[in-house]
mmCIF file with all atom_site columns, all heavy atoms in Angstrom:
data_model
loop_
_atom_site.group_PDB
_atom_site.id
_atom_site.type_symbol
_atom_site.label_atom_id
_atom_site.label_alt_id
_atom_site.label_comp_id
_atom_site.label_asym_id
_atom_site.label_entity_id
_atom_site.label_seq_id
_atom_site.pdbx_PDB_ins_code
_atom_site.Cartn_x
_atom_site.Cartn_y
_atom_site.Cartn_z
_atom_site.occupancy
_atom_site.B_iso_or_equiv
_atom_site.pdbx_formal_charge
_atom_site.auth_seq_id
_atom_site.auth_comp_id
_atom_site.auth_asym_id
_atom_site.auth_atom_id
_atom_site.pdbx_PDB_model_num
ATOM 1  N N   . THR H 1 4  ? -0.975  -4.861 2.307  1.00 84.00 ? 4  THR H N   1
ATOM 2  C CA  . THR H 1 4  ? -2.018  -4.061 2.946  1.00 84.00 ? 4  THR H CA  1
ATOM 3  C C   . THR H 1 4  ? -3.395  -4.265 2.323  1.00 84.00 ? 4  THR H C   1
ATOM 4  O O   . THR H 1 4  ? -4.403  -3.969 2.954  1.00 84.00 ? 4  THR H O   1
ATOM 5  C CB  . THR H 1 4  ? -1.657  -2.557 2.915  1.00 84.00 ? 4  THR H CB  1
ATOM 6  O OG1 . THR H 1 4  ? -1.449  -2.155 1.569  1.00 84.00 ? 4  THR H OG1 1
ATOM 7  C CG2 . THR H 1 4  ? -0.400  -2.287 3.730  1.00 84.00 ? 4  THR H CG2 1
ATOM 8  N N   . SER H 1 5  ? -3.443  -4.820 1.122  1.00 87.00 ? 5  SER H N   1
ATOM 9  C CA  . SER H 1 5  ? -4.743  -5.084 0.502  1.00 87.00 ? 5  SER H CA  1
ATOM 10 C C   . SER H 1 5  ? -5.446  -6.267 1.159  1.00 87.00 ? 5  SER H C   1
ATOM 11 O O   . SER H 1 5  ? -6.652  -6.437 1.013  1.00 87.00 ? 5  SER H O   1
ATOM 12 C CB  . SER H 1 5  ? -4.591  -5.328 -0.996 1.00 87.00 ? 5  SER H CB  1
ATOM 13 O OG  . SER H 1 5  ? -3.898  -6.540 -1.238 1.00 87.00 ? 5  SER H OG  1
ATOM 14 N N   . ALA H 1 6  ? -4.711  -7.087 1.916  1.00 89.00 ? 6  ALA H N   1
ATOM 15 C CA  . ALA H 1 6  ? -5.295  -8.246 2.581  1.00 89.00 ? 6  ALA H CA  1
ATOM 16 C C   . ALA H 1 6  ? -5.770  -7.921 3.998  1.00 89.00 ? 6  ALA H C   1
ATOM 17 O O   . ALA H 1 6  ? -6.314  -8.783 4.682  1.00 89.00 ? 6  ALA H O   1
ATOM 18 C CB  . ALA H 1 6  ? -4.269  -9.380 2.627  1.00 89.00 ? 6  ALA H CB  1
ATOM 19 N N   . LEU H 1 7  ? -5.558  -6.683 4.443  1.00 96.00 ? 7  LEU H N   1
ATOM 20 C CA  . LEU H 1 7  ? -5.941  -6.286 5.793  1.00 96.00 ? 7  LEU H CA  1
ATOM 21 C C   . LEU H 1 7  ? -7.365  -5.738 5.810  1.00 96.00 ? 7  LEU H C   1
ATOM 22 O O   . LEU H 1 7  ? -7.910  -5.355 4.787  1.00 96.00 ? 7  LEU H O   1
ATOM 23 C CB  . LEU H 1 7  ? -4.983  -5.210 6.310  1.00 96.00 ? 7  LEU H CB  1
ATOM 24 C CG  . LEU H 1 7  ? -3.503  -5.589 6.375  1.00 96.00 ? 7  LEU H CG  1
ATOM 25 C CD1 . LEU H 1 7  ? -2.662  -4.378 6.760  1.00 96.00 ? 7  LEU H CD1 1
ATOM 26 C CD2 . LEU H 1 7  ? -3.282  -6.735 7.341  1.00 96.00 ? 7  LEU H CD2 1
ATOM 27 N N   . SER H 1 8  ? -7.928  -5.680 7.017  1.00 96.00 ? 8  SER H N   1
ATOM 28 C CA  . SER H 1 8  ? -9.193  -4.981 7.232  1.00 96.00 ? 8  SER H CA  1
ATOM 29 C C   . SER H 1 8  ? -8.873  -3.681 7.943  1.00 96.00 ? 8  SER H C   1
ATOM 30 O O   . SER H 1 8  ? -7.818  -3.554 8.579  1.00 96.00 ? 8  SER H O   1
ATOM 31 C CB  . SER H 1 8  ? -10.133 -5.834 8.094  1.00 96.00 ? 8  SER H CB  1
ATOM 32 O OG  . SER H 1 8  ? -10.487 -7.015 7.412  1.00 96.00 ? 8  SER H OG  1
ATOM 33 N N   . TYR H 1 9  ? -9.782  -2.719 7.867  1.00 96.00 ? 9  TYR H N   1
ATOM 34 C CA  . TYR H 1 9  ? -9.547  -1.389 8.422  1.00 96.00 ? 9  TYR H CA  1
ATOM 35 C C   . TYR H 1 9  ? -10.762 -0.900 9.190  1.00 96.00 ? 9  TYR H C   1
ATOM 36 O O   . TYR H 1 9  ? -11.883 -1.342 8.932  1.00 96.00 ? 9  TYR H O   1
ATOM 37 C CB  . TYR H 1 9  ? -9.233  -0.401 7.288  1.00 96.00 ? 9  TYR H CB  1
ATOM 38 C CG  . TYR H 1 9  ? -8.004  -0.780 6.519  1.00 96.00 ? 9  TYR H CG  1
ATOM 39 C CD1 . TYR H 1 9  ? -8.061  -1.668 5.454  1.00 96.00 ? 9  TYR H CD1 1
ATOM 40 C CD2 . TYR H 1 9  ? -6.758  -0.275 6.880  1.00 96.00 ? 9  TYR H CD2 1
ATOM 41 C CE1 . TYR H 1 9  ? -6.919  -2.043 4.762  1.00 96.00 ? 9  TYR H CE1 1
ATOM 42 C CE2 . TYR H 1 9  ? -5.614  -0.642 6.193  1.00 96.00 ? 9  TYR H CE2 1
ATOM 43 C CZ  . TYR H 1 9  ? -5.703  -1.528 5.138  1.00 96.00 ? 9  TYR H CZ  1
ATOM 44 O OH  . TYR H 1 9  ? -4.566  -1.904 4.464  1.00 96.00 ? 9  TYR H OH  1
ATOM 45 N N   . THR H 1 10 ? -10.513 0.045  10.114 1.00 94.00 ? 10 THR H N   1
ATOM 46 C CA  . THR H 1 10 ? -11.613 0.707  10.812 1.00 94.00 ? 10 THR H CA  1
ATOM 47 C C   . THR H 1 10 ? -11.632 2.175  10.403 1.00 94.00 ? 10 THR H C   1
ATOM 48 O O   . THR H 1 10 ? -10.630 2.698  9.907  1.00 94.00 ? 10 THR H O   1
ATOM 49 C CB  . THR H 1 10 ? -11.433 0.634  12.340 1.00 94.00 ? 10 THR H CB  1
ATOM 50 O OG1 . THR H 1 10 ? -10.358 1.492  12.730 1.00 94.00 ? 10 THR H OG1 1
ATOM 51 C CG2 . THR H 1 10 ? -11.170 -0.796 12.814 1.00 94.00 ? 10 THR H CG2 1
ATOM 52 N N   . ASP H 1 11 ? -12.734 2.841  10.665 1.00 91.00 ? 11 ASP H N   1
ATOM 53 C CA  . ASP H 1 11 ? -12.777 4.270  10.363 1.00 91.00 ? 11 ASP H CA  1
ATOM 54 C C   . ASP H 1 11 ? -12.028 5.092  11.411 1.00 91.00 ? 11 ASP H C   1
ATOM 55 O O   . ASP H 1 11 ? -11.948 6.309  11.319 1.00 91.00 ? 11 ASP H O   1
ATOM 56 C CB  . ASP H 1 11 ? -14.208 4.767  10.143 1.00 91.00 ? 11 ASP H CB  1
ATOM 57 C CG  . ASP H 1 11 ? -15.138 4.428  11.283 1.00 91.00 ? 11 ASP H CG  1
ATOM 58 O OD1 . ASP H 1 11 ? -14.670 3.989  12.354 1.00 91.00 ? 11 ASP H OD1 1
ATOM 59 O OD2 . ASP H 1 11 ? -16.350 4.610  11.111 1.00 91.00 ? 11 ASP H OD2 1
ATOM 60 N N   . ASP H 1 12 ? -11.442 4.405  12.428 1.00 92.00 ? 12 ASP H N   1
ATOM 61 C CA  . ASP H 1 12 ? -10.543 5.054  13.389 1.00 92.00 ? 12 ASP H CA  1
ATOM 62 C C   . ASP H 1 12 ? -9.092  4.979  12.909 1.00 92.00 ? 12 ASP H C   1
ATOM 63 O O   . ASP H 1 12 ? -8.168  5.233  13.674 1.00 92.00 ? 12 ASP H O   1
ATOM 64 C CB  . ASP H 1 12 ? -10.652 4.388  14.770 1.00 92.00 ? 12 ASP H CB  1
ATOM 65 C CG  . ASP H 1 12 ? -11.976 4.684  15.451 1.00 92.00 ? 12 ASP H CG  1
ATOM 66 O OD1 . ASP H 1 12 ? -12.451 5.832  15.351 1.00 92.00 ? 12 ASP H OD1 1
ATOM 67 O OD2 . ASP H 1 12 ? -12.536 3.763  16.077 1.00 92.00 ? 12 ASP H OD2 1
ATOM 68 N N   . HIS H 1 13 ? -8.886  4.560  11.662 1.00 94.00 ? 13 HIS H N   1
ATOM 69 C CA  . HIS H 1 13 ? -7.576  4.502  11.013 1.00 94.00 ? 13 HIS H CA  1
ATOM 70 C C   . HIS H 1 13 ? -6.665  3.438  11.629 1.00 94.00 ? 13 HIS H C   1
ATOM 71 O O   . HIS H 1 13 ? -5.466  3.626  11.759 1.00 94.00 ? 13 HIS H O   1
ATOM 72 C CB  . HIS H 1 13 ? -6.896  5.884  10.999 1.00 94.00 ? 13 HIS H CB  1
ATOM 73 C CG  . HIS H 1 13 ? -7.762  6.922  10.382 1.00 94.00 ? 13 HIS H CG  1
ATOM 74 N ND1 . HIS H 1 13 ? -8.023  6.949  9.025  1.00 94.00 ? 13 HIS H ND1 1
ATOM 75 C CD2 . HIS H 1 13 ? -8.477  7.932  10.929 1.00 94.00 ? 13 HIS H CD2 1
ATOM 76 C CE1 . HIS H 1 13 ? -8.858  7.952  8.763  1.00 94.00 ? 13 HIS H CE1 1
ATOM 77 N NE2 . HIS H 1 13 ? -9.148  8.559  9.897  1.00 94.00 ? 13 HIS H NE2 1
ATOM 78 N N   . GLU H 1 14 ? -7.268  2.319  11.991 1.00 96.00 ? 14 GLU H N   1
ATOM 79 C CA  . GLU H 1 14 ? -6.511  1.158  12.458 1.00 96.00 ? 14 GLU H CA  1
ATOM 80 C C   . GLU H 1 14 ? -6.612  0.063  11.405 1.00 96.00 ? 14 GLU H C   1
ATOM 81 O O   . GLU H 1 14 ? -7.607  -0.038 10.703 1.00 96.00 ? 14 GLU H O   1
ATOM 82 C CB  . GLU H 1 14 ? -7.082  0.654  13.789 1.00 96.00 ? 14 GLU H CB  1
ATOM 83 C CG  . GLU H 1 14 ? -6.927  1.673  14.894 1.00 96.00 ? 14 GLU H CG  1
ATOM 84 C CD  . GLU H 1 14 ? -7.676  1.315  16.159 1.00 96.00 ? 14 GLU H CD  1
ATOM 85 O OE1 . GLU H 1 14 ? -8.571  0.453  16.130 1.00 96.00 ? 14 GLU H OE1 1
ATOM 86 O OE2 . GLU H 1 14 ? -7.369  1.928  17.186 1.00 96.00 ? 14 GLU H OE2 1
#
Side-chain angles (χ1 to χ4, degrees):
T4 57
S5 68
L7 301 174
S8 295
Y9 299 86
T10 71
D11 54 11
D12 290 320
H13 305 289
E14 296 170 343

